[in-house]
Amino acid sequence: MLDVPVVIPLTLLALGVGVLGCLVRPRWDVAVLTGLLSAVWSRVNGPVEGRVLHTFSYSRGFTEADVLSVLALLVVGSALLRCALRGARRSPGGSGRGATPAGAHQGP
């Protein structure tokens, strides 16, 4: 198993690359992977959490490091929305890949 000081920077780097990929060229597979990395970040960020912004119970709260997960999930949501809109624009009449452009010959 990886040591905690190695997991934190690797997870943070991967999350940053995923968020950048979602912003520059949104793809559904990158968005899903970034969403999973956001969940991983919320579990491994314990040593670098920072101040508690909101307390839910005695041992649970929302910290500064958790803001990164929320922002990443917002970017993932917008990337998935952009992918869905792009897919809807590409498919004429909503029929998907089976549609043939007007005037195209179908074949015998």
Side-chain angles (χ1 to χ4, degrees):
M1 184 156 159
L2 292 172
D3 195 16
V4 172
V6 174
V7 172
I8 290 173
L10 288 179
T11 305
L12 191 56
L13 178 65
L15 184 61
V17 168
V19 166
L20 186 61
C22 285
L23 289 173
V24 172
R25 185 176 165 94
R27 292 177 29 190
W28 69 269
D29 52 351
V30 175
V32 168
L33 183 62
T34 305
L36 291 174
L37 283 169
S38 174
V40 169
W41 172 250
S42 69
R43 302 304 298 163
V44 300
N45 68 5
V48 293
E49 282 189 329
R51 291 183 298 162
V52 176
L53 302 175
H54 182 73
T55 304
F56 298 117
S57 68
Y58 177 72
S59 62
R60 304 290 300 165
F62 186 74
T63 64
E64 291 173 337
D66 295 332
V67 172
L68 184 61
S69 291
V70 171
L71 293 176
L73 288 176
L74 289 174
V75 170
V76 164
S78 71
L80 289 174
L81 181 64
R82 288 169 59 191
C83 288
L85 292 175
R86 184 175 58 213
R89 275 193 308 245
R90 284 187 182 169
S91 62
S95 58
R97 294 182 184 200
T100 6
H105 183 59
Q106 190 77 10

